[in-house]
Amino acid sequence: QELNTRNNIATANIDLGNVSAAYQDFQYLLNACEKEKALCTCEPEKPFCLEGSVHNGLGMVYEVWGRLSDAINEYNGAIKSFSQQQQRGEPGKAKVINNLGLLLASLNDPETALDQFQTALSLKQSPGDEALTRSNIGFVKTLQGEQAEALDQLEKALKLSENSNERIKAYTLTRLGAAYALSSDKLKALSYYNQALDLSRAIGDVRAEALTLDKMAQLNALMGQIVKARQLYLDAQKRSQELKDIQGEAAALYGLAQLARRERNFTQAREHIAAAIQQVESLRTSTANYRFRRTYFESRYDYYALETDIRMQIYFDLRDKNDLSGAQKELDAALFAAERARARNLLDVLMESRAEIRHAVGVDQELLNSERDQQNKLSEKLELLQNMLAEKGKEKQKADLEREVRSLDS
């Protein structure tokens, strides 16, 4: 009973955005489960699967903190635990599958995410949990530009959550706002955002509040309300920092960089986008799966493009002021930013193709050893190429090295 109570407190802390407190609770439960395994195992006759709940909770914590590989591992562990309970474990399993689906959507894999949500719909769920699943489907359909299907799922989710789960209702209202913002009905979008903001603050859900503030900032920027948009982004950034939510903070910084670029405050824009890219890089490399790294990079390519654009604008300004030394430094930095993005994407594509060989069934060991040696050489050359891109000149050496990289991958 004590462990179940501790688990309920930890889960509530996650919902309210008290991530550090939740992590401590889940670690306590994990240690307790290791000492007394019988208390936490998930047999069909048990009324509750504590082991699965702890894995799911840790997955949610790691996701917020940007430890994406750890999050995926915990979610898969939770699914395995709840599956042991058979039909009794289906509601818990559906919750985890929803979390995993959202994580996959954030890594720019919407089709796999939708497959996860459809699996969740096939399981036994409460009305509130079905609302969450349909809200998630609506969210991904919005990302894919399928507005009619998105609105249909979100309206169903809103109806299901009306008297069952205010937290899910708050997220659904934000997602309805985003769907209407993309369909150019800005006033209706703003109405939904305001409802979501009021509700998330009323129930104390800081993460939902941060997300809504960021969406409101985007909409106000589109409407030309720059001062208001900036304050909303700053509020969203502050809330994300409180949660240690790297993804949320990166999004707010990107928005601030866009506003500063729009107002030709290029120095401030450069500071914001550099900080945003630092966060994106920490997330990109937090998963060992190279396919996820590549798809996540592709979904955030605008960050790198904006950095290059901002540095080029600074270059033009310095050149016009006859500060040729400063202008050349910014030009070099802009070229490096563009080349760095290209090289990193190339690295992930090549490493993904190598991973496919390593995981193939029935591959000869000699071939695997040969592949491993070639991969080591490839990694060394790619690292050398990335370092060389930071240096001025050496264009012939860079071109030769890039040819070597492509030759190794052929």
Side-chain angles (χ1 to χ4, degrees):
Q1 183 63 43
E2 178 194 347
L3 295 182
N4 287 343
T5 302
R6 191 75 173 255
N7 179 71
N8 291 337
I9 293 171
T11 304
N13 276 322
I14 280 281
D15 289 345
L16 294 173
N18 302 324
V19 183
S20 295
Y23 177 71
Q24 291 176 1
D25 286 330
F26 284 127
Q27 282 296 326
Y28 173 87
L29 289 166
L30 193 63
N31 292 333
C33 287
E34 287 175 356
K35 292 176 183 176
E36 297 287 342
K37 293 186 182 297
L39 295 174
C40 305
T41 52
C42 303
E43 288 82 13
E45 64 273 10
K46 281 192 173 182
F48 184 68
C49 175
L50 183 58
E51 181 183 72
S53 184
V54 171
H55 281 307
N56 183 47
L58 284 170
M60 294 168 73
V61 170
Y62 291 144
E63 185 177 350
V64 171
W65 286 351
R67 293 169 54 179
L68 303 186
S69 283
D70 290 334
I72 290 170
N73 288 338
E74 293 293 343
Y75 288 147
N76 284 328
I79 290 170
K80 183 178 179 181
S81 296
F82 282 117
S83 295
Q84 293 171 6
Q85 281 202 305
Q86 300 171 11
Q87 188 174 6
R88 190 189 290 270
E90 286 192 359
K93 185 177 177 180
K95 289 178 189 290
V96 185
I97 289 173
N98 267 299
N99 288 338
L100 181 57
L102 279 179
L103 176 52
L104 293 170
S106 76
L107 290 169
N108 198 31
D109 193 356
E111 291 301 330
T112 308
L114 286 172
D115 288 343
Q116 295 288 333
F117 300 143
Q118 289 299 332
T119 299
L121 276 182
S122 71
L123 300 173
K124 181 182 178 182
Q125 296 186 91
S126 68
D129 289 339
E130 184 186 343
L132 174 61
T133 306
R134 294 194 179 280
S135 182
N136 289 341
I137 293 172
F139 166 67
V140 174
K141 289 294 183 182
T142 300
L143 294 179
Q144 294 180 313
E146 299 179 24
Q147 300 304 105
E149 178 65 18
L151 289 172
D152 178 61
Q153 292 292 337
L154 291 169
E155 292 291 354
K156 288 177 180 176
L158 188 64
K159 187 174 181 180
L160 284 164
S161 67
E162 199 67 52
N163 298 310
S164 59
N165 193 311
E166 289 192 318
R167 179 172 168 271
I168 295 169
K169 181 181 177 181
Y171 278 101
T172 303
L173 287 167
T174 299
R175 290 166 172 177
L176 277 164
Y180 279 110
L182 287 176
S183 66
S184 300
D185 194 340
K186 295 181 176 59
L187 291 179
K188 198 162 189 176
L190 198 57
S191 172
Y192 277 117
Y193 285 151
N194 282 321
Q195 291 178 63
L197 187 62
D198 288 344
L199 182 55
S200 61
R201 284 174 171 169
I203 63 177
D205 191 330
V206 180
R207 195 176 186 192
E209 181 185 354
L211 174 65
T212 306
L213 287 166
D214 188 81
K215 294 295 184 184
M216 292 178 77
Q218 292 178 36
L219 183 58
N220 276 276
L222 283 173
M223 296 169 68
Q225 303 294 321
I226 304 301
V227 175
K228 190 169 184 179
R230 182 181 296 107
Q231 187 57 56
L232 287 164
Y233 275 131
L234 288 170
D235 291 344
Q237 182 191 12
K238 182 180 178 181
R239 293 289 181 268
S240 295
Q241 286 175 332
E242 290 171 7
L243 297 170
K244 297 181 182 177
D245 182 352
I246 296 174
Q247 199 156 214
E249 186 178 359
L253 286 165
Y254 174 69
L256 287 166
Q258 285 183 307
L259 293 181
R261 161 69 176 85
R262 191 167 167 178
E263 294 187 309
R264 300 188 62 79
N265 188 343
F266 299 126
T267 301
Q268 188 177 76
R270 181 180 59 189
E271 292 173 2
H272 287 316
I273 196 61
I277 287 175
Q278 185 178 14
Q279 303 284 45
V280 166
E281 280 296 309
S282 71
L283 284 167
R284 188 186 70 85
T285 56
S286 70
T287 173
N289 186 306
Y290 286 102
R291 181 173 69 86
F292 287 153
R293 285 191 183 190
R294 177 175 57 80
T295 57
Y296 181 73
F297 173 85
E298 290 169 354
S299 72
R300 298 296 184 275
Y301 183 77
D302 287 350
Y303 286 54
Y304 297 88
L306 181 59
E307 181 190 19
T308 302
D309 172 66
I310 289 167
R311 290 190 178 279
M312 287 302 299
Q313 295 302 322
I314 296 173
Y315 159 73
F316 291 132
D317 279 0
L318 292 173
R319 186 195 62 182
D320 292 345
K321 294 173 183 175
N322 211 32
D323 182 355
L324 300 184
S325 174
Q328 187 61 49
K329 285 176 66 176
E330 282 301 326
L331 179 60
D332 291 342
L335 292 173
F336 170 62
E339 287 296 315
R340 178 187 60 184
R342 186 169 64 89
R344 284 182 182 167
N345 200 33
L346 174 64
L347 174 63
D348 292 338
V349 169
L350 295 180
M351 292 300 101
E352 180 188 347
S353 67
R354 296 294 170 186
E356 289 174 1
I357 295 177
R358 288 199 304 275
H359 291 113
V361 177
V363 177
D364 183 76
Q365 186 61 43
E366 187 176 340
L367 176 60
L368 285 174
N369 290 337
S370 174
E371 186 274 329
R372 190 176 297 110
D373 290 340
Q374 192 169 357
Q375 180 179 315
N376 289 336
K377 292 177 184 177
L378 180 61
S379 297
E380 289 173 9
K381 296 293 184 184
L382 281 165
E383 185 176 355
L384 183 59
L385 176 60
Q386 288 197 70
N387 291 335
M388 193 176 287
L389 288 171
E391 301 176 23
K392 184 178 178 181
K394 299 186 178 181
E395 299 308 319
K396 184 178 183 304
Q397 293 96 316
K398 292 176 186 176
D400 290 343
L401 190 55
E402 188 165 336
R403 275 194 293 273
E404 284 187 60
V405 166
R406 294 190 182 280
S407 176
L408 282 168
D409 187 53
S410 62

